Amino acid sequence: MKWLTFVSLILLLSSATSRNLQRVARDADHKSEIARRYNDLKEETFKAVTMITFAQYLQKCSYDALSKLVKDVVDLAQKCAANEDAPECAKSLPAIFLDEICQVEKLRDSYGDMADCCAKSDPERNQCFLSFKVHQPDFIEPYQRPAADVICNEYKDNRVALLGHFVYTVARRNPFLHAPAILGLAIEYEHALQSCCSESDVGACLDEKAATIKERAKMINKKQQHGCRILEKYGERTFQAMKLARMSQKYPKAPFAEVVKMVHDTKDVYKECCEGDMVECVDDWSELLHSLCAKQDVFSSKIKSCCEKPVLEQTKCIIEADFDDKPDNLPSLVEKYVQDKEVCKSYEAGHDAFLSEFVYEYSRRHPEFSTQLIMRITKGYEALLDRCCKTDNPAECYGNAQEELEKQVKEAQDVVNTNCELFNTHGKEDFLKGILIRYTKKMPQVSTDTLLQVGKKMTAVGAKCCSLPEKKRMACSELFLNIVIDDMCKKQESTPVNDQVSHCCSEPYSDRRPCFTTMGVDPKYVPPPFDPQMFNFDDKLCTAPPAEREEGQLKLLVNLIKRKPQMTEEQIKTVAGGFTAMMDKCCKESDIDTCLGEEGANLIVQSRATLGIGA
């Protein structure tokens, strides 16, 4: 996409300033990367991040086994800090960590083909190791919290070891969670212990706070993996475009050049984190926060209290901080970008600068829009100028730009308003049914269980986002729907669903959600022959726990739609009405199975007649 090339300007602007100059000056004082990072982070944090790194690569190893590897690296760091000229101190940090992993005894016995990564050269060796990380490891037993008195005494007597076990436990279960987030969660865990160990019911207090921490970890993990996926699949330019829009919304008073610099620096750090380089990730992230806080008066009035916190607590606070207030009396953009007769001259003289500034100006005026919508609007505006600037009367051609861009805004607003009204009016169950009906028609080839998972994830988005103030709903829903869609598209790469899904998954990042929204019934789908065994009516429909009964009924609905995706809403109501009548009758009978056998057979006959499905 042409418009994404505007970020090349960002690269030019910020590479001449920002962290790179600081790095050059600082690196000149250090011959050894590991020595510099050790001196920056200090021993306790360096140890913790080293444990995180090893636990994320070697998820099957015990805490004690990894502690030996951590000691080796810390010993080397201390040696290099004392003498940077030592030969082994010149290695890069990733090479030090991977060399240590490759020396693990019987690596192949525990990790199989992962051992083959050791034969590769860097950076391919690291990419190989990353590919063996297991997102939701089933080989790790669920965490069992020690007794309340035990854990409180352990915290009192051996705080460092307890927190070390915490970061190990979190890291091996979440191999893609960035180290700054894990350290932040460790701080939250410590605060929970400090608070709960003085309570009368320590166990209940810890369980409640642990559930909150676990939920936050899942949410952060989703967002960070999504960011890494954007970097991997769409590249740095799309990632930076997204960050430029978001930071311009959050820091609308900050000058354009400052926002651009922060975007570029954020991309650099994020890239380190995504590549598993957690020591550099933590150190450079801390430096980024220091830079932001040093200029808090330039960026935002909302982060003052955050910048007063210890560095490991700043991230959560800054991310959760409200958007700053928009500057007063911002002029309308129509005059500069639509009414100006010389728009094409400005556009053609500095295409990248012109569009990047458009993103900045548009975003700071519209904190209520999603970054994806702003990216679509920018792309639409660029396409309009590309077309109009070639005509004899460009100003007349692009004179309707505002109306064209408003169509994009209306589409996004309508999707959010319609879905949130449905969720808030009819509730979670009906919302889930609606999602399942729509998405089974779009991709009937997907297994019933997977469709149910997708439906539940989208319903969770509704529950999370539709409870927010209206001005925050669009950004929330587009972000989390894109995460669900990205997960579907990742599976689509190895197991293609249909041409429609393939098409939407190949669309630019910001266009995928609208593509899935407008996707209709798959015209190429040929339903399998009608099989009554797919509609198994047994007594569990009446006797199972409510959640299990609900899931069984939803699976029946999905299987029915798979038989005829073109069925109308009226037909669905008719069949559903027949099913409800059968359940009302049979669940009151003493012999439920016999009743369901008879009434179920009748319902199948009636449903096939209603839907026009032959024998």
Side-chain angles (χ1 to χ4, degrees), residues 126-282:
N126 186 53
Q127 290 301 317
C128 180
F129 274 111
L130 288 175
S131 71
F132 280 93
K133 287 186 176 184
V134 180
H135 171 44
Q136 293 177 321
D138 56 8
F139 48 79
I140 299 178
E141 292 292 321
Y143 174 72
Q144 296 292 325
R145 176 178 60 75
D149 58 334
V150 172
I151 202 168
C152 288
N153 286 331
E154 193 176 344
Y155 173 66
K156 181 182 175 184
D157 298 337
N158 203 345
R159 168 186 171 272
V160 173
L162 178 69
L163 295 178
H165 273 88
F166 177 85
V167 298
Y168 161 76
T169 299
V170 174
R172 67 196 293 248
R173 286 171 170 79
N174 301 278
F176 299 103
L177 187 60
H178 298 173
I182 296 176
L183 294 176
L185 292 168
I187 295 294
E188 289 185 54
Y189 180 60
E190 181 169 24
H191 288 168
L193 290 170
Q194 291 168 344
S195 170
C196 293
C197 287
S198 60
E199 293 287 327
S200 56
D201 191 342
V202 178
C205 178
L206 282 175
D207 287 344
E208 181 183 346
K209 291 187 182 295
T212 302
I213 292 172
K214 186 176 180 181
E215 200 55 39
R216 261 184 48 74
K218 283 170 62 178
M219 191 64 61
I220 296 168
N221 204 14
K222 280 182 186 177
K223 289 181 178 180
Q224 290 182 344
Q225 283 198 60
H226 185 59
C228 291
R229 174 79 171 158
I230 291 171
L231 265 174
E232 176 194 355
K233 183 174 175 62
Y234 296 101
E236 294 180 5
R237 288 172 174 171
T238 297
F239 181 87
Q240 289 183 113
M242 180 181 70
K243 290 296 180 187
L244 176 60
R246 184 68 173 174
M247 288 188 185
S248 301
Q249 290 177 313
K250 186 154 186 162
Y251 308 123
K253 293 176 183 173
F256 173 62
E258 291 288 354
V259 176
V260 159
K261 186 171 70 159
M262 187 61 65
V263 166
H264 178 65
D265 291 351
T266 300
K267 180 269 298 178
D268 282 349
V269 179
Y270 223 90
K271 196 172 177 185
E272 290 171 345
C273 302
C274 295
E275 290 172 353
D277 188 357
M278 292 305 173
V279 173
E280 294 194 3
C281 168
V282 169

Side-chain angles (χ1 to χ4, degrees), residues 573-587:
K573 283 182 180 178
T574 300
V575 175
F579 178 80
T580 302
M582 177 185 76
M583 297 299 293
D584 287 344
K585 177 180 179 180
C586 292
C587 290

Side-chain angles (χ1 to χ4, degrees), residues 89-146:
C89 297
K91 281 185 186 178
S92 71
L93 270 166
I96 289 169
F97 279 99
L98 297 183
D99 285 351
E100 195 72 29
I101 290 170
C102 289
Q103 289 169 22
V104 169
E105 191 176 343
K106 297 182 179 178
L107 183 68
R108 188 175 298 279
D109 290 351
S110 297
Y111 294 94
D113 291 345
M114 190 178 89
D116 294 335
C117 298
C118 294
K120 297 181 182 291
S121 301
D122 293 324
E124 287 77 15
R125 180 171 62 157
N126 186 53
Q127 290 301 317
C128 180
F129 274 111
L130 288 175
S131 71
F132 280 93
K133 287 186 176 184
V134 180
H135 171 44
Q136 293 177 321
D138 56 8
F139 48 79
I140 299 178
E141 292 292 321
Y143 174 72
Q144 296 292 325
R145 176 178 60 75

Side-chain angles (χ1 to χ4, degrees), residues 58 68 82 144 174 361 432 435 437 505:
L58 299 171
K68 294 174 184 175
Q144 296 292 325
N174 301 278
E361 295 289 1
L432 175 55
I435 293 285
I437 290 168
C505 288

Side-chain angles (χ1 to χ4, degrees), residues 4-13 237 240 352:
L4 292 176
T5 63
F6 74 73
V7 184
S8 62
L9 171 77
I10 293 173
L11 301 177
L12 292 171
L13 282 175
R237 288 172 174 171
Q240 289 183 113
D352 297 345

Side-chain angles (χ1 to χ4, degrees), residues 247-453:
M247 288 188 185
S248 301
Q249 290 177 313
K250 186 154 186 162
Y251 308 123
K253 293 176 183 173
F256 173 62
E258 291 288 354
V259 176
V260 159
K261 186 171 70 159
M262 187 61 65
V263 166
H264 178 65
D265 291 351
T266 300
K267 180 269 298 178
D268 282 349
V269 179
Y270 223 90
K271 196 172 177 185
E272 290 171 345
C273 302
C274 295
E275 290 172 353
D277 188 357
M278 292 305 173
V279 173
E280 294 194 3
C281 168
V282 169
D283 193 18
D284 290 339
W285 184 254
S286 299
E287 189 179 325
L288 189 64
L289 293 180
H290 175 76
S291 173
L292 178 64
C293 286
K295 294 184 176 181
Q296 58 182 280
D297 293 340
V298 171
F299 277 94
S300 174
S301 61
K302 307 288 186 181
I303 61 173
K304 186 176 187 298
S305 61
C306 300
C307 293
E308 293 169 353
K309 293 179 179 290
V311 67
L312 292 179
E313 297 179 46
Q314 289 176 359
T315 298
K316 176 178 182 287
C317 185
I318 290 172
I319 288 173
E320 293 179 355
D322 289 335
F323 288 3
D324 201 7
D325 302 321
K326 287 190 288 186
D328 294 331
N329 304 317
L330 281 174
S332 168
L333 293 182
V334 174
E335 184 177 333
K336 180 176 180 178
Y337 292 103
V338 179
Q339 294 175 350
D340 187 348
K341 305 288 186 188
E342 305 299 318
V343 165
C344 287
K345 282 188 179 178
S346 301
Y347 176 66
E348 290 167 350
H351 173 276
D352 297 345
F354 183 85
L355 285 175
S356 59
E357 196 163 348
F358 174 82
V359 172
Y360 164 76
E361 295 289 1
Y362 196 92
S363 301
R364 66 204 289 248
R365 286 165 173 77
H366 292 286
E368 76 279 12
F369 289 170
S370 66
T371 56
Q372 294 84 1
L373 172 60
I374 293 168
M375 290 166 77
R376 291 195 293 273
I377 285 170
T378 306
K379 186 180 64 164
Y381 181 57
E382 181 200 31
L384 184 69
L385 292 185
D386 278 344
R387 177 166 54 84
C388 292
C389 292
K390 294 173 185 173
T391 65
D392 294 334
N393 191 343
E396 182 181 335
C397 177
Y398 59 68
N400 67 340
Q402 191 173 7
E403 291 78 12
E404 290 296 316
L405 302 185
E406 283 299 323
K407 291 177 184 176
Q408 297 270 20
V409 174
K410 186 177 185 305
E411 185 275 341
Q413 289 174 334
D414 285 350
V415 168
V416 174
N417 292 340
T418 300
N419 280 283
C420 283
E421 184 179 355
L422 176 62
F423 188 93
N424 292 332
T425 303
H426 296 281
K428 182 178 175 181
E429 290 184 7
D430 281 355
F431 187 85
L432 175 55
K433 287 177 185 174
I435 293 285
L436 286 175
I437 290 168
R438 294 203 299 273
Y439 275 81
T440 303
K441 290 184 174 190
K442 295 174 195 285
M443 41 191 199
Q445 299 89 345
V446 174
S447 74
T448 300
D449 286 339
T450 300
L451 283 166
L452 196 56
Q453 287 173 11

